[in-house]
Amino acid sequence: MTEKLPLNDKRCLALAWLFFVLVGTVHAQSAQVDSLQRRLTQTLPDTARAMVLERLGSVLMYSEPLEAMKYVREGLAVAERADFPLGISRNLNRLGSIYRNVGSYAKALEAHLAALRVARENNDLAGMARVNNSIGILYSEQEDHQRAVEYFTKTKTLAQQIGDATLLEIALTNLASDYAWLKQLDSAQVFALRAYEMAVRQEDKNSTSVLFIILGNIHYRKKEYPLSLAYFRRSLPLSRAMNDQRNLGQTYFEMARVFHETGALDSCRIYAEQSLELAQQVNNPKNILDASTLLTEFYEGRDQGKAYQYFKIATAARHQMFDRKKVKQIQALDFDEQLRTQQAQNERAENQRSILTRTLITGLAAVILIAFLLYRNSRNRRRANVLLQKQKDELQATLTELETTQAQLIQSEKMASLGELTAGIAHEIQNPLNFVNNYAEVNVELLEELLLEGGKELGERDEGLLQELVSDLADNERKILHHGKLAEAIVRGMQQHSRRSSGNRELTDLNALVREYAELAYNGMTAKDKPSKDVLTLDLDEQLPKTAVVPGDIGRVILNLLDNAFYAVLKKKENHPESYQPTILVSTRQREGVIEIRVKDNGTGVPREIIDKLFQPFFTTKPTGQGTGLGLSLAYDIVTRGHSGRLEVVSEVGIGTEFIAVFKASL
């Protein structure tokens, strides 16, 4: 049977909200299981037994997925033994749905594609419609909603072709959900209302419940919150009547989200906690992620312990759903399927060309027999044209294949970069947060001890102990403040790193800009670490023309490069207090149509084996707590992406380092 799953919405770490709908039929009543199991005890033909086993898998796939998988695999074996294509296709499709339900997306897609091939080979239009719907659900769960719409549209077309009202209702519902996620709300509402009319005619309470959720989300997206809540409340009694824990938990989450937006925070917390509890009971990782993320946001600033507890739950659910290896496996399988389809199309085209060529040759031979001399030149021209067309077709096919491969490589690189950046953020922020939590716990114990001692009679108090406790509390608070500011610096650096500059380029005196930010960098050093002013030397090209740049962005580049230079020379000064004279040279030059800004120091230098990592986000050579690892990464992005230039580094350990920023002298 084709599945309907409820609408979900995802709130990421950046707190940007998104939603999608997963639609399918879920009937998990024990009476159905008992009835189907009794049928298996009877003597049945293999074809009927294969379909009963598939139906058992459908009933149990959400409540007992392992048991469901056992029945479906048995059904597949029976269908293959009986050479029953319909049973093979249905059981393969159900196997894919079970894999998808437990988060094994690569195996799910593999099973669905195998089911689709069997259905196509046997012209099973209903089977093709069901499998296309299942693949659409998988892509929807993976947030590739454009691909999901393509597969649901195929389901709708096939359902209309065979006159299957149930499949048509499912396709319309799924299209409504994914069009909503794509923010095409008018289209989503049209499909949802069409599906709702069909569900009412068919007295399908489960579909009606799901469609109320979809319509509620559409009005939520339109910020029509009272109407949105009205639809969600209409869904609740239907889900409770059918004991549909998945739909019920999803509806609780949607209501919690509306209450959060409207400021009804107590209601938000209550419904979000109920949603999380139900999602954990039925092992629904998407609902677990949604509810725990919302609760994390709710408790931030109120109860950091609970906020961290829900953050860990959200992280585990996100890892289960969006593991990068699983995504890559899906992409690889999808790519292989596209290649197989393309190869089949090429073979058919080649066969058609071969038949056409043989026909032309036969006709030409007959014409040549009648008037060889008259048609000799014409025949030669035809052969030349056929050869040229074949070469053109081969070149076009090669170009198409290269474009497809390039797109796959770009997507893989994006996913790899996203994973590395997420891991870096989590690692860097966790360190100061651990310090804050640890010192806060110690302060709680010290305060308890301070209250105990302060509650004693005046003559019984240990004044020395009281003084020591107060001193320890003050020290710990300073440490908490220090590490809190470090976490704040990491977040601020990430905001600067990810922010797209809104400034416009303007003709700028780069020499004046260098002087201004060099003074700013020097003054930014602490009084304890500030070197003498003769350490910093400016060598500016007075013939330098004004250059079209974003002044604030280039200023940040200069500031970050000088901060690194000051750190390097002061670090070296600590180890060579007598014999070492720190030197930093900032120079500007115009060379062959480009502008160079160089920052050179005679500090500690950078080892050759890590020099390629300097511009990676969160990579730093400084000790923990002294740097976020975002300064050079930000500078690199500003120069290379913001100004189409390049940022180079030359360094030798013990000798010093030079950074060279190069960009065009004009727009």
Side-chain angles (χ1 to χ4, degrees):
M1 291 293 292
T2 309
E3 304 149 11
K4 293 184 181 178
L5 301 178
L7 179 67
N8 281 297
D9 189 327
K10 176 183 174 187
R11 191 175 288 270
C12 300
L13 291 178
L15 302 179
W17 57 274
L18 306 166
F19 72 88
F20 62 73
V21 183
L22 306 174
V23 182
T25 55
V26 182
H27 300 290
Q29 294 110 341
S30 59
Q32 281 187 296
V33 175
D34 294 340
S35 174
L36 292 168
Q37 288 177 336
R38 282 196 300 272
R39 289 196 63 189
L40 288 178
T41 62
Q42 303 171 2
T43 301
L44 295 172
D46 284 347
T47 53
R49 180 172 293 274
M51 300 305 289
V52 172
L53 289 165
E54 186 275 339
R55 181 60 186 151
L56 260 173
S58 172
V59 172
L60 294 170
M61 63 178 288
Y62 293 108
S63 58
E64 299 180 52
L66 292 178
E67 191 72 6
M69 189 171 293
K70 182 188 74 173
Y71 284 119
V72 171
R73 284 176 172 168
E74 182 181 350
L76 179 59
V78 171
E80 289 176 341
R81 189 165 59 246
D83 193 21
F84 180 39
L86 181 66
I88 294 172
S89 175
R90 295 296 191 275
N91 279 280
L92 278 172
N93 190 41
R94 182 61 55 199
L95 183 63
S97 297
I98 295 170
Y99 274 129
R100 188 203 72 237
N101 184 48
V102 298
S104 185
Y105 295 107
K107 290 184 179 179
L109 183 59
E110 185 177 19
H112 287 321
L113 293 176
L116 186 59
R117 286 194 293 272
V118 173
R120 282 174 178 167
E121 290 168 0
N122 293 275
N123 197 31
D124 178 7
L125 299 183
M128 292 166 60
R130 294 169 184 271
V131 178
N132 279 318
N133 183 70
S134 297
I135 296 175
I137 293 173
L138 187 147
Y139 276 111
S140 188
E141 287 191 12
Q142 287 295 304
E143 300 186 7
D144 189 350
H145 298 282
Q146 194 61 53
R147 293 295 301 277
V149 165
E150 294 173 9
Y151 280 99
F152 292 146
T153 301
K154 293 178 183 178
T155 301
K156 180 174 75 72
T157 301
L158 290 167
Q160 291 171 329
Q161 185 175 347
I162 62 179
D164 190 324
T166 300
L167 277 175
L168 181 57
E169 177 199 332
I170 292 170
L172 293 173
T173 306
N174 285 331
L175 283 167
S177 67
D178 281 80
Y179 273 121
W181 197 98
L182 292 170
K183 299 182 181 180
Q184 299 179 28
L185 300 182
D186 291 337
S187 297
Q189 191 166 1
V190 168
F191 283 115
L193 291 174
R194 286 178 59 189
Y196 174 75
E197 292 172 358
M198 296 185 69
V200 171
R201 285 199 300 270
Q202 299 178 57
E203 298 182 355
D204 187 347
K205 293 183 178 179
N206 185 76
S207 295
T208 303
S209 172
V210 172
L211 286 162
F212 282 150
I213 298 175
I214 295 174
L215 288 166
N217 269 282
I218 292 171
H219 289 290
Y220 169 80
R221 279 296 189 99
K222 292 182 176 181
K223 300 187 183 301
E224 298 170 352
Y225 298 124
L227 191 55
S228 175
L229 281 174
Y231 275 112
F232 292 145
R233 290 190 172 109
R234 293 178 69 182
S235 174
L236 287 176
L238 296 174
S239 297
R240 292 190 184 113
M242 293 180 293
N243 194 27
D244 189 340
Q245 302 300 315
R246 293 174 69 88
N247 268 7
L248 189 60
Q250 179 61 33
T251 308
Y252 284 151
F253 168 73
E254 304 296 347
M255 295 178 70
R257 186 177 59 178
V258 174
F259 286 128
H260 184 268
E261 291 292 333
T262 57
L265 298 183
D266 287 339
S267 297
C268 169
R269 174 184 59 80
I270 291 170
Y271 280 98
E273 288 175 347
Q274 291 177 338
S275 174
L276 178 59
E277 181 180 355
L278 289 174
Q280 290 173 327
Q281 288 177 8
V282 298
N283 190 25
N284 185 345
K286 186 65 183 64
N287 269 22
I288 292 172
L289 174 61
D290 291 335
S292 57
T293 300
L294 184 57
L295 286 167
T296 300
E297 181 181 359
F298 175 87
Y299 279 109
E300 282 179 350
R302 294 183 176 87
D303 186 335
Q304 293 301 322
K306 286 190 176 181
Y308 181 64
Q309 173 189 346
Y310 287 118
F311 175 75
K312 290 195 295 184
I313 295 173
T315 300
R318 184 178 294 104
H319 177 75
Q320 180 182 355
M321 289 184 60
F322 299 111
D323 181 78
R324 188 172 63 189
K325 182 178 179 181
K326 293 178 183 177
V327 175
K328 287 187 175 180
Q329 288 173 336
I330 290 175
Q331 292 173 337
L333 286 169
D334 188 34
F335 182 65
D336 290 341
E337 178 64 18
Q338 292 182 32
L339 286 180
R340 282 194 294 269
T341 302
Q342 185 182 44
Q343 184 178 359
Q345 292 173 347
N346 290 341
E347 289 175 354
R348 287 195 296 271
E350 185 61 34
N351 289 336
Q352 291 174 354
R353 284 197 295 270
S354 178
I355 293 171
L356 179 60
T357 301
R358 288 196 297 269
T359 302
L360 289 174
I361 292 175
T362 301
L364 286 173
V367 173
I368 291 171
L369 289 175
I370 297 172
F372 174 75
L373 293 176
L374 180 62
Y375 292 100
R376 181 178 58 184
N377 292 336
S378 176
R379 183 190 61 183
N380 290 338
R381 285 195 301 270
R382 286 175 181 268
R383 286 180 175 176
N385 289 337
V386 170
L387 180 60
L388 289 173
Q389 183 62 42
K390 183 177 179 181
Q391 291 174 343
K392 177 183 176 182
D393 292 342
E394 289 175 351
L395 289 172
Q396 185 62 43
T398 301
L399 177 60
T400 301
E401 183 176 353
L402 287 173
E403 290 174 346
T404 302
T405 303
Q406 182 186 35
Q408 292 291 334
L409 290 174
I410 291 172
Q411 181 65 17
S412 297
E413 182 64 24
K414 286 181 179 178
M415 294 302 297
S417 298
L418 178 60
E420 292 175 2
L421 183 59
T422 303
I425 295 170
H427 175 75
E428 291 299 326
I429 294 182
Q430 189 61 49
N431 285 333
L433 287 182
N434 284 340
F435 280 108
V436 170
N437 291 336
N438 291 338
Y439 284 120
E441 289 176 1
V442 172
N443 276 2
V444 170
E445 296 175 1
L446 291 175
L447 283 170
E448 290 174 353
E449 190 173 348
L450 180 61
L451 289 172
L452 180 62
E453 189 66 27
K456 294 179 180 180
E457 296 295 333
L458 188 60
E460 297 177 356
R461 295 178 187 171
D462 186 341
E463 297 297 334
L465 177 59
L466 287 174
Q467 200 63 27
E468 182 180 347
L469 291 173
V470 172
S471 177
D472 289 344
L473 281 170
D475 287 343
N476 288 348
E477 287 300 318
R478 282 190 289 271
K479 293 173 181 176
I480 289 173
L481 179 61
H482 169 74
H483 290 287
K485 286 187 177 295
L486 177 58
E488 180 185 12
I490 292 172
V491 173
R492 186 168 57 251
M494 278 304 302
Q495 290 173 335
Q496 291 179 346
H497 192 276
S498 62
R499 184 177 63 211
R500 295 290 183 267
S501 172
S502 59
N504 297 320
R505 293 194 188 187
E506 56 187 65
L507 290 176
T508 303
D509 184 347
L510 287 181
N511 288 339
L513 195 67
V514 168
R515 293 189 188 97
E516 177 185 352
Y517 279 91
E519 184 70 22
L520 185 62
Y522 177 80
N523 292 331
M525 304 296 291
T526 65
K528 177 181 176 181
D529 295 332
K530 188 176 293 184
S532 61
K533 207 156 190 178
D534 58 2
V535 168
L536 181 61
T537 303
L538 304 182
D539 180 15
L540 307 179
D541 184 354
E542 297 302 329
Q543 303 301 316
L544 198 68
K546 288 189 176 182
T547 306
V549 297
V550 181
D553 286 355
I554 296 301
R556 286 204 296 272
V557 172
I558 297 168
L559 194 62
N560 286 332
L561 296 181
L562 281 171
D563 283 346
N564 278 275
F566 277 121
Y567 177 83
V569 298
L570 292 174
K571 194 70 176 176
K572 189 172 181 179
K573 181 68 174 177
E574 292 178 5
N575 300 325
H576 305 80
E578 302 297 336
S579 59
Y580 171 66
Q581 178 59 42
T583 301
I584 299 174
L585 175 63
V586 183
S587 61
T588 58
R589 292 289 186 273
Q590 180 180 12
R591 303 178 190 277
E592 299 178 355
V594 298
I595 299 296
E596 292 183 354
I597 300 177
R598 294 174 176 257
V599 178
K600 183 177 182 180
D601 65 70
N602 65 341
T604 55
V606 181
R608 184 173 301 175
E609 59 270 17
I610 66 171
I611 202 165
D612 292 335
K613 302 179 182 179
L614 288 179
F615 301 127
Q616 295 179 4
F618 297 112
F619 179 81
T620 179
T621 59
K622 298 177 182 178
T624 302
Q626 295 189 23
T628 63
L630 293 172
L632 289 179
S633 175
L634 176 62
Y636 184 82
D637 282 352
I638 290 172
V639 173
T640 59
R641 298 182 183 178
H643 292 79
S644 302
R646 63 181 188 274
L647 184 59
E648 302 171 351
V649 58
V650 179
S651 184
E652 186 174 348
V653 175
I655 303 300
T657 304
E658 182 176 23
F659 288 94
I660 307 118
V662 182
F663 41 87
K664 292 182 180 179
S666 60
L667 283 171

